[in-house]
Amino acid sequence: TRSEKVSPRFLLNPDQEAHALSQAELKKQSMQEVRRSLPIFPYREDLLAAINEHQVLVIEGETGSGKTTQIPQYLMEEGYTNGGMKIGCTQPRRVAAMSVAARVAEEIGVKLGNEVGYSIRFEDCTSERTVLKYMTDGMLLREFLTEPDLASYSVILIDEAHERTLHTDILFGLIKDIARFRPDLKVLVASATLDTERFSSFFDDAPVFRIPGRRFPVDIFYTKAPEADYLDACVVSVLQIHVTQPPGDILVFLTGQEEIEACCELLQERCRRLGSKIAELLVLPIYANLPSDMQAKIFTPTPPGARKVVVATNIAETSLTIDGIIYVIDPGFCKQKSYNARTGMESLIVTPCSRASANQRAGRAGRVAAGKCFRLYTAWAFKHEMEETTVPEIQRTNLGNVVLLLKSLGINDLIHFDFMDPPPHETLVLALEQLYALGALNHLGELTKLGRRMAELPVDPMLSKMILASEQYKCSEEVLTIAAMLSVNNSIFYRPKDKVVHADNARMNFVVPGGDHLVLLNVYTQWVESGFSTQWCYENFIQFRSMRRARDVRDQLEGHKTPPTPNTHIHTKSLLSLTAGYFYHTARLSKGGYKTVKHQQTVYTHPNSSLFEEQPRWLIYHELVFTTKEFMRQVIEIESAWLLEVAPHYYKSKELEDSSNKKMPRKQGKAKEELG
Ligand code: ADP
Ligand code: MG
């Protein structure tokens, strides 16, 4: 059990007290005054002159200086959107694109989606009138498919360039290329104070415009010994700050939704128990899948007497600026994609963040006043256990998606593509092989008809192949639902701490044979039958918001399907379609767990899976997540024979020999019969 005691963990120096600006003071200023008070404002004219003079400009400025919200407005005011030309501003994160667009629309005084809008996957909040468009870097990449020279844009601002996401890196290469034959296009590369020289040299020594920062000192405290349970340490530290420190809001960095929800619950529970003994503490989460109305809450000013604690993923590192933060709690971890280029296996791993990240996090405490950053690790760990910077995503991810897109843009020579940091050669080769096995490329590496259709779908190659395969198996309705549900999959079942048993029972009621994907299908089907009822969701411990989002995603994907045909044995056919897309993700039962078929890597079914107990011989998983072990999340049961049917160029029957198949003649026979 977690202790109720709020024990001092840090050596606090009483001389370094924080001086928070009062919220009332901030609130009094009108929005225009706030705009004028931002560090970027005094440089408005110089900046516009530099943009006028140079085609490519790198802009460096501290987080919160006004790069994202102000630069596009200055450009609008300067006439860059005359004649309906657009300004595009990319963000690595969906939440940032939405939130910043909303803020700018408010500052200008227009309705979001009119002159100012945003575009993220599965959600287009723009219109004919939109001239300032915030979007994820991935969405701008997709725009190359329909407008290869970005002719409707006068300015592209690649924001948060220091994040070096895969999509941003690919944009660098493509935009550098089109800038050569579009001299009228302005290219701005904005970044926090990191790496700007590299961006400059990549863009043929483009000038760097520096916005001098305004930063208050931040005192950094380390723990004396490593923390065994950093979640618990966070909760204790928050409460400790709350009861011992002067006013000022707290920002906590955790790695993902599950951790954030757990932390928020613990904080709320403890505050409830402490009752009126402590001042009010507002606990607010922020992560990518959080519904947008909940996201907006983090920006509302804290009422006098209370304190706000924002529990965030690294979205709050540089993408979003929350005013009033004085205290930062940094456990020193982040969730990272990692990719094994030999086996082609990708998984999400919680790893120590880089020193650069840690310093960005600390910086968030010093925006409005002197602040404090509590690092839940030792000074030794900071020096010796953390990497200097984060490895660019392009070097640790599957490139299938990007390779397919580049091929669709007619870029065949990927080896000589202008990468800022090239991906490992094996990763490129593996992506080509995988696309070949999926049927997206022919043996010459050229895009096939199927490949072109796959590229048009706004999802990863395996998922798009699964959707397209469902046409052949005549189960598009079901597979589209599964695809949509997978896109929100980790937030469908609601499991409140005080109703765990009820929630688990409710979940069990949805279990159907075949596996987790079919369970998701079953949930959705019942929800449709309930008339998309909120009440039904509530009664069944299903998150209504996630379901609504799944419905939106489904509507968007629907454009790609063939008309439904009356159909029997729909489950088996759905499973076949899934196999056609995800045949790489096959695991076979072996002693104590599962082994992936091609590389013999040991993996386990996730305890949440409907097939956790059942342990079928052959499984296909949707994704791998590494926590305590390598877990397969979302699995279905398949028959090995299906692999030969859907991927004859990838699997040899010898690899799939399985004496145990003979012990299950009933099942084998049944599948054949069903597929007729
Ligand atoms: P940068 O891109 O340089 O990090 P931003 O343009 O994002 O800076 O932020 C500038 C300022 O705008 C922030 O300091 C904050 O005061 C304000 N701001 C930005 N987004 C929001 C929002 N969603 N709600 C309220 N204020 C915001
Ligand atoms: Mg910004």
Side-chain angles (χ1 to χ4, degrees):
T1 59
R2 293 171 188 270
S3 100
E4 284 301 313
K5 209 172 75 224
V6 180
S7 60
R9 276 166 190 258
F10 300 99
L11 305 163
L12 293 175
N13 182 345
D15 297 336
Q16 303 165 321
E17 288 298 293
H19 304 285
L21 279 185
S22 86
Q23 283 299 332
E25 246 172 68
L26 284 174
K27 226 178 154 183
K28 255 189 280 165
Q29 304 175 331
S30 76
M31 219 169 236
Q32 290 310 311
E33 278 174 62
V34 171
R35 283 193 65 195
R36 267 181 238 123
S37 73
L38 290 173
I40 199 172
F41 183 72
Y43 301 92
R44 186 183 183 281
E45 308 314 320
D46 291 352
L47 179 63
L48 286 169
I51 294 171
N52 187 38
E53 193 174 328
H54 305 281
Q55 185 183 12
V56 183
L57 190 67
V58 178
I59 303 168
E60 173 194 301
E62 201 82 63
T63 302
S65 53
K67 301 182 295 297
T68 313
T69 55
Q70 304 307 305
I71 295 172
Q73 290 189 69
Y74 296 169
L75 292 166
M76 275 174 93
E77 291 155 9
E78 194 69 7
Y80 279 88
T81 53
N82 290 354
M85 291 297 279
K86 283 184 288 189
I87 298 170
C89 175
T90 66
Q91 295 291 316
R93 300 158 196 280
R94 308 155 26 98
V95 181
M98 291 160 75
S99 143
V100 163
R103 169 70 181 185
V104 171
E106 198 184 354
E107 286 184 11
I108 301 181
V110 295
K111 194 166 161 278
L112 184 60
N114 287 351
E115 285 79 2
V116 181
Y118 67 85
S119 166
I120 59 180
R121 188 159 70 153
F122 300 128
E123 202 174 326
D124 183 14
C125 182
T126 65
S127 62
E128 293 284 287
R129 289 159 68 176
T130 303
V131 287
L132 172 49
K133 185 166 170 182
Y134 288 93
M135 58 191 133
T136 49
D137 45 11
M139 287 311 283
L140 183 59
L141 262 189
R142 298 200 65 80
E143 288 199 10
F144 276 88
L145 283 173
T146 48
E147 194 181 51
D149 52 356
L150 302 183
S152 62
Y153 288 91
S154 60
V155 185
I156 294 291
L157 168 54
I158 305 179
D159 203 358
E160 299 280 309
H162 63 271
E163 290 254 345
R164 300 292 310 278
T165 59
L166 172 64
H167 291 154
T168 289
D169 269 18
I170 301 295
L171 280 176
F172 285 149
L174 291 175
I175 287 184
K176 182 175 168 184
D177 186 43
I178 62 166
R180 291 199 189 107
F181 54 89
R182 273 210 54 201
D184 57 317
L185 178 73
K186 296 291 183 188
V187 177
L188 308 176
V189 178
S191 144
T193 48
L194 286 162
D195 268 352
T196 36
E197 292 307 329
R198 290 217 54 204
F199 300 129
S200 164
S201 63
F202 178 78
F203 283 100
D204 304 326
D205 296 319
V208 179
F209 190 99
R210 292 198 169 80
I211 303 158
R214 184 199 297 157
R215 244 216 218 184
F216 295 87
V218 175
D219 292 319
I220 292 176
F221 302 90
Y222 294 94
T223 50
K224 284 167 275 179
E227 292 289 346
D229 178 350
Y230 66 79
L231 202 61
D232 184 66
C234 279
V235 172
V236 173
S237 304
V238 168
L239 293 172
Q240 189 196 334
I241 291 169
H242 188 46
V243 296
T244 65
Q245 297 288 301
D249 296 334
I250 307 170
L251 176 59
V252 182
F253 286 99
L254 288 174
T255 69
Q257 179 178 350
E258 281 165 34
E259 256 178 36
I260 291 174
E261 282 172 352
C263 180
C264 288
E265 265 181 48
L266 278 171
L267 278 170
Q268 261 143 0
E269 197 179 299
R270 299 224 193 155
C271 284
R272 223 178 295 131
R273 284 202 221 151
L274 290 164
S276 58
K277 274 181 268 175
I278 56 166
E280 187 186 358
L281 185 68
L282 301 165
V283 182
L284 301 171
I286 177 95
Y287 47 81
N289 279 331
L290 191 73
S292 45
D293 49 326
M294 300 274 288
Q295 285 171 15
K297 281 192 184 161
I298 63 165
F299 295 111
T300 50
T302 314
R307 195 196 293 271
K308 174 160 86 184
V309 50
V310 177
V311 188
T313 57
N314 50 9
I315 178 142
E317 229 171 78
T318 59
S319 308
L320 291 182
T321 305
I322 309 155
D323 287 320
I325 300 293
I326 299 285
Y327 307 98
V328 164
I329 297 175
D330 174 21
F333 288 95
C334 63
K335 206 180 262 174
Q336 261 200 6
K337 234 194 260 171
S338 110
Y339 187 62
N340 181 333
R342 189 182 58 80
T343 62
M345 287 170 71
E346 192 173 34
S347 64
L348 278 173
I349 304 183
V350 172
T351 51
C353 68
S354 65
R355 275 195 291 275
S357 272
N359 289 335
Q360 287 292 334
R361 291 176 179 190
R364 303 287 67 76
R367 272 200 65 250
V368 288
K372 289 174 183 171
C373 174
F374 301 93
R375 290 183 170 160
L376 303 179
Y377 42 90
T378 62
W380 194 89
F382 178 75
K383 269 206 196 108
H384 302 283
E385 286 177 355
M386 287 178 159
E387 301 284 343
E388 180 61 36
T389 52
T390 312
V391 177
E393 189 183 4
I394 197 165
Q395 297 183 331
R396 51 181 170 84
T397 189
N398 181 331
L399 295 175
N401 207 344
V402 158
V403 168
L404 186 60
L405 188 100
L406 292 176
K407 290 271 178 187
S408 315
L409 295 175
I411 298 168
N412 281 313
D413 182 8
L414 300 172
I415 306 288
H416 294 104
F417 184 78
D418 199 351
F419 292 110
M420 193 162 156
D421 284 305
H425 186 71
E426 318 82 87
T427 311
L428 262 182
V429 171
L430 197 64
L432 291 166
E433 279 172 14
Q434 291 196 341
L435 290 170
Y436 170 69
L438 284 166
L441 301 178
N442 65 19
H443 65 287
L444 299 172
E446 299 160 342
L447 202 65
T448 60
K449 251 191 213 154
L450 176 71
R452 180 158 301 281
R453 291 194 65 204
M454 283 170 63
E456 280 162 10
L457 282 165
V459 294
D460 283 342
M462 290 192 261
L463 195 61
S464 54
K465 172 69 185 293
M466 159 185 132
I467 292 171
L468 295 174
S470 73
E471 294 178 356
Q472 182 196 336
Y473 292 114
K474 303 203 174 11
C475 54
S476 295
E477 291 288 334
E478 289 71 21
V479 169
L480 281 177
T481 299
I482 292 170
M485 291 291 274
L486 285 171
S487 76
V488 294
N489 81 49
N490 295 324
S491 52
I492 286 169
F493 297 100
Y494 179 52
R495 197 167 185 265
K497 275 245 158 62
D498 52 339
K499 295 203 182 95
V500 170
V501 177
H502 287 93
D504 289 350
N505 281 339
R507 187 176 180 149
M508 282 302 292
N509 284 336
F510 289 108
V511 170
V512 286
D516 299 320
H517 297 60
L518 298 183
V519 176
L520 293 175
L521 174 62
N522 186 22
V523 171
Y524 192 87
T525 310
Q526 290 197 35
W527 183 55
V528 173
E529 281 161 10
S530 82
F532 304 110
S533 154
T534 331
Q535 180 66 21
W536 179 88
C537 288
Y538 181 77
E539 284 163 7
N540 290 284
F541 292 84
I542 298 292
Q543 312 240 32
F544 177 71
R545 285 200 180 94
S546 304
M547 295 304 292
R548 199 173 47 188
R549 186 169 150 70
R551 185 177 60 187
D552 292 344
V553 172
R554 196 185 183 289
D555 286 348
Q556 298 228 5
L557 292 173
E558 184 126 46
H560 300 271
K561 79 163 173 47
T562 49
T565 352
N567 197 347
T568 47
H569 312 307
I570 201 72
H571 278 180
T572 309
K573 288 177 175 172
S574 300
L575 293 178
L576 259 162
S577 306
L578 302 177
T579 310
Y582 285 84
F583 55 83
Y584 280 106
H585 290 180
T586 305
R588 180 207 313 245
L589 187 66
S590 79
K591 257 188 251 120
Y594 282 85
K595 280 209 160 53
T596 58
V597 172
K598 281 280 178 181
H599 300 284
Q600 306 300 319
Q601 184 155 336
T602 307
V603 291
Y604 301 88
T605 30
H606 196 276
N608 277 350
S609 168
S610 63
L611 295 178
F612 181 65
E613 303 269 329
E614 216 165 301
Q615 304 255 318
R617 268 177 232 295
W618 295 90
L619 285 184
I620 277 190
Y621 63 86
H622 183 59
E623 59 185 356
L624 280 183
V625 182
F626 188 88
T627 48
T628 46
K629 294 193 243 186
E630 198 85 58
F631 281 118
M632 301 180 280
R633 198 136 69 177
Q634 310 291 359
V635 295
I636 52 166
E637 175 177 4
I638 62 154
E639 290 172 26
S640 57
W642 297 355
L643 295 168
L644 291 177
E645 177 178 337
V646 302
H649 31 352
Y650 189 68
Y651 284 111
K652 306 277 158 289
S653 55
K654 200 151 175 14
E655 285 174 301
L656 305 174
E657 263 173 21
D658 183 355
S659 55
S660 55
N661 265 354
K662 294 188 193 104
K663 289 183 204 151
M664 302 193 294
R666 187 188 60 80
K667 278 209 122 169
Q668 286 279 316
K670 194 165 134 237
K672 290 226 181 71
E673 209 175 277
E674 285 182 4
L675 290 165

